[in-house]
Amino acid sequence: MHIGFYAPLKQPDHPVPSGDRKMACLLIDMLESLGHAVTVISTLRSWEGRGDQAEQHCIERNAGKELEKLEQAG
């Protein structure tokens, strides 16, 4: 099965190590070990942890653009 993977906190190839990045890598490794083809379909980071409404609106706009891009890619 071909699986499109999205990690909303931190993408698996992010340069800064973290538990989020480690979990994403482990999930991808597990899926691949089961014979699945995994593709990271988006690197959009949608998490905003301060409650900043302006930043959340910016993320929402970027997410809309990302969704359009993914829909066009089919």
Side-chain angles (χ1 to χ4, degrees):
M1 178 186 308
H2 191 154
I3 298 172
F5 186 86
Y6 169 65
L9 300 179
K10 192 180 281 187
Q11 66 264 22
D13 62 350
H14 193 279
V16 178
S18 71
D20 299 328
R21 184 182 82 166
K22 182 68 171 175
M23 287 300 298
C25 290
L26 289 172
L27 283 167
I28 290 171
D29 289 348
M30 185 259 321
L31 291 166
E32 289 177 339
S33 75
L34 294 171
H36 303 292
V38 180
T39 301
V40 176
I41 60 169
S42 175
T43 58
L44 175 73
R45 189 168 182 183
S46 61
W47 182 78
E48 188 285 308
R50 295 171 301 183
D52 183 331
Q53 286 189 331
E55 182 64 23
Q56 291 172 10
H57 288 300
C58 182
I59 291 169
E60 184 177 14
R61 283 190 303 277
N62 290 338
K65 292 175 188 175
E66 187 74 2
L67 178 59
E68 288 177 14
K69 183 179 85 172
L70 292 169
E71 288 175 336
Q72 289 175 0

